[in-house]
Amino acid sequence: AVARFETDTPVNMSTAGKVIKCKAAVLWEANKPFSIEEVEVAPPKEHEVRIKIMATGICRSDDHVVTGTMVSPFPVILGHEAAGVVESVGQGVTSVKPGDKVIPLFIPQCGECKSCLNTKGNMCSKTDLGARGLMSDGTTRFTCKGKAIYHFLGTSTFTEYTVVHETAVAKIDSAAPLEKVCLIGCGFSTGYGAALQTAKVEPGSTCAVFGLGGVGLSAVMGCKAAGAARIIAVDINKDKFAKAKQLGATDCINPQDFKKPIHEVLMEMTGGGVDYSFEVIGRTDTMTAALACCQCNYGVSVIVGVPPAAQKITLDPMLLFTGRSWKGSVFGGWKSKDAVPKLVADYMKKTFVLDPLITHTLPWTKINEGFDLLRTGK
């Protein structure tokens, strides 16, 4: 689901340097609904950018914070998959200016840390996956009812205005439809890149994708774009199968239809295992099944779903000794600031589609309804 913000109010540049009062969806504590509150958003400090959010996707990772499987301090403004317009910039910002269309980046690109400097890396050390919930100076830009509100993944997009670091924002094509390309801020790029960038799926290969939410469907699209000959989609919700086939899946299977473990079913279907498998759910049992279903000697399995906090995996090391590779993928392996504008340009050239990934478009004040749709598999 994508939440759309009212777009009839033009970005008012006269707010530069001032505190903006606006509406935001605040999560005061875990396992509670979002509360639409008036918040104060401070002006951007040095090397920071204040953005008017125009559209934000609802991602399972946000829900992981609500349910406690992903740790975050409270109260917090969640959201990390969005697109908007720059309202004002802090001192020293050179890469964007007021009026630019942008996508906030939950994986920044500072260009200076080890991961940024390595051609194989993309997980910038400035990312807040450790959930500190603060800007680089150790403070927050949000207050509500006199209380400081924490940031989420350096983006916090469930608000009319947010503040991000300059390393965490990418300028995009001014003609791009923001209510579609917001998905390039997380879900689409994460799944598509897991296939193309992390696994480097080869033409003619066989793939299995576990989990057919927005990210899983994007992984299916990535496998297809890479030329995979067979793409087996795995989900316990058969309502997802039609769309998976539309986007490139050749087979769709429900583990509940079989007596034997799903990895054995896949091994039999493929005569010894798939070349590439993707776990796009965030469950330890499916991570192990995805590893076990790939070819014992040269199969590659990629963990794309966020692992649940405090859970461990026990596995037979023989699974890896025979030659399988087990990898993780954050934001599809893309270097964010470099890749996001290019992915938006590819979308504008119709290299890939985003419309099938958007099931509902809601006014953002109905964000709790959007999360209900997510939780019920709709």
Side-chain angles (χ1 to χ4, degrees):
V2 169
R4 283 189 73 172
F5 292 71
E6 294 305 318
T7 52
D8 48 0
T9 37
V11 175
N12 180 357
M13 303 307 172
S14 67
T15 50
K18 299 175 187 160
V19 171
I20 290 179
K21 285 189 174 177
C22 67
K23 293 276 192 280
V26 177
L27 190 67
W28 292 100
E29 53 184 301
N31 296 304
K32 287 279 180 358
F34 292 90
S35 180
I36 304 293
E37 306 276 7
E38 183 178 83
V39 298
E40 292 89 44
V41 183
K45 295 190 182 179
E46 194 175 3
H47 292 296
E48 292 177 358
V49 179
R50 189 160 58 182
I51 303 167
K52 179 178 169 70
I53 298 289
M54 305 305 260
T56 184
I58 290 173
C59 179
R60 180 68 75 176
S61 305
D62 302 303
D63 194 45
H64 285 334
V65 176
V66 180
T67 59
T69 55
M70 190 170 167
V71 179
S72 168
F74 294 100
V76 64
I77 294 173
L78 296 178
H80 63 283
E81 178 183 85
V85 178
V86 174
E87 171 269 339
S88 63
V89 299
Q91 198 184 336
V93 171
T94 55
S95 60
V96 295
K97 63 185 186 306
D100 283 348
K101 279 191 178 180
V102 291
I103 287 179
L105 309 169
F106 76 92
I107 297 291
Q109 188 182 343
C110 72
E112 294 166 0
C113 70
K114 271 192 160 179
S115 285
C116 283
L117 291 171
N118 190 303
T119 55
K120 299 181 214 163
N122 79 315
M123 200 171 109
C124 176
S125 66
K126 299 277 193 295
T127 184
D128 193 28
L129 282 178
R132 220 166 58 108
L134 302 168
M135 297 297 282
S136 50
D137 67 350
T139 65
T140 133
R141 301 291 164 269
F142 301 116
T143 47
C144 179
K145 299 177 179 169
K147 280 190 174 159
I149 307 294
Y150 287 100
H151 294 250
F152 178 59
L153 296 180
T155 49
S156 289
T157 62
F158 293 167
T159 167
E160 292 177 302
Y161 287 88
T162 192
V163 177
V164 305
H165 196 273
E166 184 182 15
T167 56
V169 63
K171 180 183 172 178
I172 60 166
D173 184 340
S174 61
L178 299 183
E179 74 282 4
K180 310 261 198 257
V181 298
C182 61
L183 299 187
I184 291 172
C186 176
F188 171 75
S189 307
T190 296
Y192 192 67
L196 290 171
Q197 291 273 116
T198 308
K200 296 188 167 49
V201 169
E202 291 160 320
S205 60
T206 298
C207 303
V209 177
F210 287 70
L212 301 174
V215 186
L217 291 170
S218 301
V220 168
M221 290 161 74
C223 292
K224 187 181 181 191
R230 196 172 181 193
I231 303 166
I232 305 166
V234 184
D235 203 300
I236 56 171
N237 180 355
K238 60 182 188 303
D239 295 345
K240 308 267 187 185
F241 292 170
K243 193 159 278 184
K245 288 205 159 151
Q246 179 194 337
L247 293 172
T250 55
D251 309 71
C252 293
I253 59 172
N254 180 346
Q256 294 172 337
D257 291 344
F258 300 91
K259 293 265 196 301
K260 58 179 68 166
I262 193 63
H263 73 272
E264 290 180 18
V265 174
L266 286 158
M267 281 279 191
E268 285 172 18
M269 279 176 76
T270 56
V274 301
D275 300 304
Y276 302 96
S277 68
F278 301 87
E279 198 281 352
V280 204
I281 304 164
R283 289 176 57 109
T284 53
D285 55 347
T286 39
M287 288 172 187
T288 315
L291 177 68
C293 83
C294 67
Q295 207 278 343
C296 71
N297 177 225
Y298 53 78
V300 176
S301 187
V302 183
I303 293 176
V304 189
V306 177
Q311 284 194 26
K312 300 283 181 275
I313 290 181
T314 307
L315 81 152
D316 177 357
M318 187 57 80
L319 282 170
L320 294 171
F321 173 77
T322 56
R324 286 181 183 87
S325 301
W326 210 3
K327 306 179 85 164
S329 181
V330 173
F331 192 57
W334 306 106
K335 286 191 185 286
S336 59
K337 223 169 156 77
D338 294 343
V340 162
K342 289 181 186 149
L343 286 166
V344 171
D346 281 348
Y347 170 74
M348 299 299 279
K349 285 189 237 148
K350 299 188 164 52
T351 306
F352 54 81
V353 292
L354 290 173
D355 285 39
L357 300 176
I358 301 169
T359 56
H360 299 75
T361 304
L362 304 162
W364 82 276
T365 45
K366 292 194 172 172
I367 195 156
N368 286 309
E369 288 178 35
F371 274 86
D372 289 341
L373 291 165
L374 174 79
R375 290 167 192 144
T376 52
K378 296 192 176 85

